[in-house]
Amino acid sequence: MSVEESAFATNDRIAAETRRRLAERRVLAVNLLSAPGSGKTSLLEATIDRLRNAVRIGVIEGDVATTRDADRVAAHGVPAVQVNTEMLSATCHLDARMVAQALERLPSDRLDLLLIENVGNLVCPAAFDLGEDLKVAVLSVTEGDDKPVKYPKLFREAAVTLISKMDLLPHCGGDVEAIVANLRAVQPAAEIIRTSVRTGEGLDAWAEWLHQRWTTKCRSAD
Ligand SMILES: Nc1nc2c(ncn2[C@@H]2O[C@H](COP(=O)(O)OP(=O)(O)OP(=O)(O)O)[C@@H](O)[C@H]2O)c(=O)[nH]1
Ligand SMILES: [Mg+2]
C-alpha cells in the first residue's frame, strides 16, 4: 500500500468510527463544502436561527486561520469549535481526525445536528470522508456557471446543492439555468435549492429539507 493509500485508509477508519458514534447518539452530521466566500457561514447563521428551537445544534468550523467563523456562529447561541488547519498537517481541507478531535470539545451526547463547515476549496475537501451523513455543496451565482462540470466530485456526491447569493444574479450576469444544467450534467437527479441570505429566498425550504433529513435519520427508530 502506498503512503497515500495508507493515509486515506486511516482517514476512512476514523471517519467510520465517528459515523458509528454519531449514529449511536442519533446525531445527523452534515459536511458543508464550497469555494472560499460562497456563503457557507452566512447560511449556517441563517440555518441556526431557523432550527435552534427545534434541534440541538453544534458546529465545527474549518479554516486555515482565525476563529472568525466560529465566533460568528457562536454569536447565534450554539456551541462552536474552530479547527485551524495551518496548525495541523494539511491546510486545504478538514480530515476525519481533526473532526473526531473537535467533536470531543462539543457536548455530542446532547446534540441532534452537527454542522461541519469545511475549508473553502472545491477540490481537496471532497476527497476526505469526515464521518458525515451527507455532504452539502454551496455554489454562489457569482462563481461562474461551469463550476459543477469543472469540479465534478463534490457536486456529484452532494445530497443537495444550494445555489447561493441569488440576489446578486441581476448584477453579475450569471445564468442560473446554466448552473442547474451543469449540476444535472454531473448528477442528473441533483437536489437544488436557490438561496439568498439578503432576501431570505430559499432559507425556509433549506431549513425544512435539513430538518426532514434529521427526522428521517434520528426519529425513524422511535
Ligand atoms: N449579496 C449576498 N452576499 C452574501 C450572501 N451570502 C453571503 N454573502 C456575503 O459573502 C461574503 C462571504 O460570506 P461567508 O458566509 O463568510 O462565506 P464562506 O463560504 O463562509 O467563506 P469562507 O469560510 O471564507 O470560505 C460575505 O461578505 C457575506 O456577507 C448572499 O446570499 N447574498
Ligand atoms: Mg466561512
Side-chain angles (χ1 to χ4, degrees):
M1 191 186 282
S2 71
V3 173
E4 192 185 3
E5 284 169 344
S6 165
F8 275 113
T10 302
N11 186 81
D12 289 352
R13 185 178 47 73
I14 297 170
E17 178 58 15
T18 296
R19 188 169 282 112
R20 191 191 62 73
R21 284 191 183 173
L22 291 173
E24 207 173 75
R25 294 173 194 175
R26 295 193 179 192
V27 180
L28 180 77
V30 177
N31 183 5
L32 207 67
L33 305 102
S34 83
S38 301
K40 298 179 294 301
T41 310
S42 304
L43 284 162
L44 286 186
E45 292 175 286
T47 307
I48 291 162
D49 291 345
R50 281 164 178 74
L51 292 181
R52 194 178 40 207
N53 294 330
V55 288
R56 297 167 299 178
I57 300 172
V59 179
I60 296 174
E61 282 289 349
D63 274 301
V64 176
T66 81
T67 61
R68 288 177 181 214
D69 283 4
D71 294 344
R72 282 170 64 185
V73 160
H76 291 258
V78 299
V81 172
Q82 182 79 51
V83 178
N84 280 150
T85 54
E86 76 173 358
M87 314 270 195
L88 303 162
S89 52
T91 56
C92 60
H93 60 86
L94 291 175
D95 66 24
R97 191 185 304 278
M98 296 175 197
V99 167
Q101 288 173 349
L103 202 46
E104 298 295 319
R105 295 159 58 202
L106 284 171
S108 58
D109 51 346
R110 282 176 279 121
L111 290 184
D112 300 311
L113 183 59
L114 174 65
L115 299 171
I116 305 167
E117 178 180 341
N118 220 309
V119 180
N121 181 333
L122 283 177
V123 185
C124 312
F128 287 81
D129 185 5
L130 305 180
E132 75 272 13
D133 294 290
L134 48 98
K135 289 183 168 69
V136 172
V138 181
L139 176 61
S140 68
V141 296
T142 61
E143 289 169 54
D145 314 335
D146 55 359
K147 295 304 168 286
V149 288
K150 291 176 76 175
Y151 303 91
K153 183 173 169 59
L154 165 57
F155 297 102
R156 190 180 297 126
E157 294 180 358
V160 64
T161 295
L162 307 181
I163 302 180
S164 63
K165 306 192 186 182
M166 284 295 293
D167 58 290
L168 294 181
L169 208 51
H171 310 290
C172 70
D175 179 349
V176 78
E177 294 311 327
I179 296 175
V180 169
N182 284 325
L183 284 168
R184 299 227 184 280
V186 297
Q187 192 192 153
E191 287 202 58
I192 298 165
I193 303 175
R194 304 172 191 202
T195 64
S196 165
V197 300
R198 293 284 182 272
T199 65
E201 177 178 354
L203 298 179
D204 289 341
W206 151 242
E208 277 164 30
W209 184 96
L210 192 55
H211 189 264
Q212 183 58 47
R213 287 301 182 108
W214 172 74
T215 306
T216 304
K217 177 185 177 187
C218 302
R219 283 284 173 80
S220 56
D222 287 348

